[in-house]
Amino acid sequence: MQSKSVRAGVLEITYLETGPADGWPCILSHGFPYDVETYAETATLLADAGARVILPYLRGYGPTRFLSPDTPRSGEQAALAADLLALMEALRIGRAVLGGYDWGGRASCILSALWPERVVALVTGNSYNIQNIPRSGEPEAPEIEATYWYQYYFHSERGRRGLQQDRRAIARTLWRMWSPKWAFSDAVFDRSAPAFDNPDFVEVVIHSYRHRFGLVPGDPAYAHIETQLVAQPPIGVPTVAIDGDSDGVSAGTAGHRSRFTGPFDYRVFRDAGHNLPQERPVEWAQAVLDARAMGLTGTGNKEQHG
């Protein structure tokens, strides 16, 4: 894979690219606290299938940098979506297959909902990932609230200092909690850990987890996007939605079906946790290929467990 960079919106986005330059575009976005390594195996499989695979480092991760010191270090969902759209514009990609989970899944879902003409098909971990910020004050069941401890931790200055002082230990703890059946090695974690050394990582992460609960304002530049997301817009592009049955931060999203109005396929990866592409690279790659086929043929509405 080649490491490249491009000016896109407010960022200089660094991304990995593999596959034929004239292949069908496929952009796969990582989540928190992960990085592009999550797609290393999947990308090779898709490139062999003719895809031009693009793996961007999100804002606040790896070598991606803000162009101006004056740009708010926002981690809000609208900013992530705007970055993804700006990347497509910068690379002159009209339409692409999008895939992601966690933060990257959120950006992909938003683009699919608001700019469906730019999306061939969508693969999304944990299904409908668009935050319902106006309802963020509504409590969940206690067992679900317990899984959000890190979010509440980041709401405090103690949490900010903790992330600043030992971001790698926090990330490793979350990896273990969210994917309890994934026996990742030190070497695997160490390949991703440098991405958290980005100078804006802490500010972007803290803003993300405070903004989603309405505790801090967003960047005014993205207010027009956030306003549209209040309505929880449906996603009409062909979609493969995936859960892991051992996800330590999500109790399952089969109930999200009504959020998708186009061809739809829901899958459960057995013994997989939150980091679906890295835990199940072959199955994730197949989901991308199947989603693209749905986009070309307009078929869907299946349910699979594997």
Side-chain angles (χ1 to χ4, degrees):
M1 283 190 282
Q2 292 183 296
S3 179
K4 301 181 179 182
S5 64
V6 65
R7 288 196 169 200
V10 300
L11 301 173
E12 178 88 15
I13 296 178
T14 297
Y15 61 97
L16 301 185
E17 182 173 337
T18 189
D22 60 351
W24 48 274
C26 176
I27 305 175
L28 303 176
S29 302
H30 66 83
F32 166 84
Y34 307 96
D35 81 323
V36 296
E37 288 293 330
T38 197
Y39 293 109
E41 293 184 57
T42 291
T44 298
L45 295 170
L46 292 173
D48 290 344
R52 177 192 177 192
V53 185
I54 295 166
L55 312 176
Y57 286 92
L58 302 188
R59 56 170 57 202
Y61 293 79
T64 289
R65 294 290 187 271
F66 287 88
L67 296 174
S68 169
D70 299 324
T71 301
R73 270 41 177 175
S74 172
E76 65 190 286
Q77 58 180 351
L80 302 175
D83 293 346
L84 180 54
L85 183 61
L87 176 63
M88 293 181 68
E89 294 286 355
L91 297 180
R92 298 182 180 179
I93 295 174
R95 300 178 72 228
V97 177
L98 302 182
Y101 65 104
D102 201 87
W103 288 23
R106 188 160 298 119
S108 300
C109 281
I110 293 171
L111 210 67
S112 299
L114 300 184
W115 291 275
E117 70 279 2
R118 306 300 296 268
V119 182
V120 175
L122 169 69
V123 177
T124 171
N126 300 138
S127 301
Y128 191 85
N129 250 317
I130 302 176
Q131 294 161 349
N132 191 344
I133 294 175
R135 293 185 56 82
S136 62
E138 295 296 321
E140 300 274 9
E143 61 270 21
I144 295 177
E145 294 283 2
T147 67
Y148 296 159
W149 69 269
Y150 66 101
Q151 301 190 27
Y152 306 142
Y153 181 51
F154 293 154
H155 292 173
S156 69
E157 289 307 298
R158 177 186 175 102
R160 179 199 292 272
R161 292 196 301 272
L163 187 63
Q164 184 68 57
Q165 292 172 12
D166 207 347
R167 61 195 77 183
R168 295 190 182 200
I170 289 175
R172 185 188 288 269
T173 297
L174 294 176
W175 279 33
R176 288 173 173 162
M177 294 182 71
W178 294 352
S179 299
K181 296 184 179 180
W182 180 33
F184 62 88
S185 65
D186 288 344
V188 167
F189 180 80
D190 290 345
R191 284 196 292 271
S192 291
F196 315 142
D197 295 333
N198 183 297
D200 297 307
F201 177 79
V202 172
E203 290 305 310
V204 170
V205 170
I206 293 300
H207 184 268
S208 173
Y209 288 103
R210 293 181 180 181
H211 181 270
R212 67 183 61 194
F213 282 88
L215 301 177
V216 294
D219 183 340
Y222 307 119
H224 64 293
I225 300 177
E226 290 290 357
T227 298
Q228 295 178 77
L229 300 180
V230 169
Q232 295 286 275
I235 294 174
V237 305
T239 298
V240 176
I242 307 168
D243 281 325
D245 69 359
S246 300
D247 190 328
V249 74
S250 173
T253 57
H256 291 190
R257 176 65 183 89
S258 63
R259 300 288 190 182
F260 298 88
T261 58
F264 182 80
D265 184 348
Y266 174 71
R267 302 180 181 185
V268 177
F269 290 176
R270 298 193 186 282
D271 296 326
H274 194 61
N275 187 9
L276 295 165
Q278 198 162 4
E279 296 178 62
R280 295 290 184 272
V282 175
E283 291 90 335
W284 186 275
Q286 189 60 55
V288 171
L289 295 174
D290 292 345
R292 178 173 181 260
M294 289 163 57
L296 298 178
T297 64
T299 59
N301 298 307
K302 299 184 294 181
E303 183 167 323
Q304 295 185 17
H305 296 257

